[in-house]
Amino acid sequence: MDFVSQERGEMMMLYDLFFAFLNTGKYKEAKKIIETPGLRARPSRLQWFADKCITNNNVEAMERLVELTQKLFECDRDEMYYYQLKLCKQNNDGQGADAIWTKMQEENVIPRERTLRLLADIFKMNNQEVPFDVPKVWYDEDVYPTLSSSLQPPELSSDPQEKIFMLCKQDKTEEAYNILLELQKKDIVLDPVGYSFLIRALLSEGFLEKALKVKNIAETHIKGFELNDAASSLLIITQVRRDYLKDAVSSLRTLLERGGVPSRLAVTRLVQALAQKGDLESIAAVEKMMGR
């Protein structure tokens, strides 16, 4: 136990040094620290420093943070570029956003939907062409009509499903997830739309394990519960991003077997990832499933 505490303490110290060197422009020293063998990504610490860069409008430190963490073990590259893009939007920097988009492609980063929407916003603000299809928001006002502007704030709502809807819409998906777990303890069941809504919200934020947990809860309570095509496509994309390619192929098969239609983006991302692995057998299987 003491050994574990000591190891965590050493890791925190290394991050403190890394951030200090970034703040003072000592990038060679920062590079040596972040390349320490055995050092892992600490999302909360990285987010703290990225938020600090955004607050202080420290463009150079943010650029170096993203650059130097490229080979950091378990570092979420989409997340890092998302922080950098938030700073670009703050400064209305269209050229910077374009350079980031190029780097993401060079690094083979699979962007989340929110990252693509943020990029598109910056390009549109600067009258630049958007070089990709912009994904719609993960909720659809026509599909979820209860999400009207007349809904009460989540803290005032007495309806747990409505509260979950509003928290998700406010990007507080983890809070919504925790509410669902409390409802589960009390044997309170949502309707299928409620579960589907939360699953899509979690997947859009990259919370794969939590989304699958909600799916399992829904399947326990609702006979024949299935993800809709959009949620299934988002699941495939998230699994690809995590490098769970066998799971992604299985999810695609499940979707097609029940007559669903995957998004073009989901199939493209899956085939691209399989190609990078040189898995020609799985690519052939996907093509056969798609009837090509």
Side-chain angles (χ1 to χ4, degrees), residues 30-249:
K31 186 174 186 292
K32 290 178 182 177
I33 292 295
I34 206 65
E35 291 178 350
T36 300
L39 189 63
R40 293 170 175 263
R42 302 279 294 189
S44 60
R45 297 285 284 154
L46 293 171
Q47 181 179 3
W48 172 82
F49 188 77
D51 287 342
K52 188 176 179 182
C53 289
I54 294 170
T55 301
N56 297 328
N57 201 29
N58 194 336
V59 176
E60 186 175 358
M62 177 71 89
E63 288 177 350
R64 294 291 185 162
L65 172 69
V66 176
E67 176 189 330
L68 294 177
T69 53
Q70 180 177 349
K71 296 182 180 179
L72 180 62
F73 186 63
E74 294 183 337
C75 182
D76 186 333
R77 299 304 295 157
D78 171 75
E79 190 82 8
M80 300 307 297
Y81 281 116
Y82 181 74
Y83 298 143
Q84 193 176 5
L85 285 168
K86 286 174 72 174
L87 187 52
C88 281
K89 185 173 184 179
Q90 180 174 289
N91 294 320
N92 197 23
D93 184 2
Q95 287 187 332
D98 191 46
I100 291 170
W101 174 238
T102 300
K103 288 179 182 177
M104 291 178 73
Q105 293 177 90
E106 291 173 350
E107 203 176 316
N108 292 318
V109 174
I110 299 176
R112 295 184 175 92
E113 290 187 4
R114 66 172 187 174
T115 305
L116 291 175
R117 286 196 294 270
L118 180 56
L119 261 169
D121 286 345
I122 299 170
F123 288 146
K124 289 174 182 176
M125 285 166 57
N126 288 274
N127 297 315
Q128 294 170 249
E129 182 182 352
V130 179
F132 50 79
D133 293 331
V134 183
K136 297 179 180 179
V137 291
W138 52 263
Y139 59 85
D140 187 327
E141 297 289 356
D142 294 328
V143 177
Y144 303 110
T146 52
L147 279 176
S148 64
S149 57
S150 62
L151 284 179
Q152 300 182 70
E155 62 272 13
L156 299 179
S157 175
S158 59
D159 181 346
Q161 181 155 301
E162 182 178 293
K163 185 178 292 188
I164 287 173
F165 281 166
M166 292 309 298
L167 286 170
C168 289
K169 197 176 181 186
Q170 293 172 6
D171 294 328
K172 298 178 180 178
T173 51
E174 288 187 280
E175 192 175 335
Y177 173 77
N178 290 332
I179 288 176
L180 178 69
L181 295 185
E182 290 301 316
L183 296 176
Q184 172 75 354
K185 292 176 184 176
K186 299 174 183 176
D187 289 327
I188 299 176
V189 181
L190 305 182
D191 63 35
V193 171
Y195 290 115
S196 294
F197 192 87
L198 180 54
I199 290 168
R200 287 201 67 188
L202 289 165
L203 288 172
S204 72
E205 295 292 327
F207 297 125
L208 177 60
E209 288 78 12
K210 291 177 180 177
L212 293 176
K213 171 81 171 177
V214 175
K215 180 174 176 287
N216 289 336
I217 291 173
E219 288 171 344
T220 299
H221 292 297
I222 301 173
K223 186 177 180 180
F225 176 83
E226 293 178 339
L227 294 179
N228 60 25
D229 291 359
S232 295
S233 296
L234 196 51
L235 174 60
I236 293 166
I237 292 169
T238 307
Q239 288 169 327
V240 169
R241 187 180 294 116
R242 290 289 194 86
D243 206 27
Y244 298 160
L245 301 186
K246 289 185 179 179
D247 291 342
V249 172

Side-chain angles (χ1 to χ4, degrees), residues 236 240 263-274 286 292:
I236 293 166
V240 169
S263 70
R264 184 175 63 180
L265 179 62
V267 178
T268 301
R269 293 298 189 200
L270 177 54
V271 172
Q272 287 175 341
L274 292 169
V286 170
R292 295 178 182 176

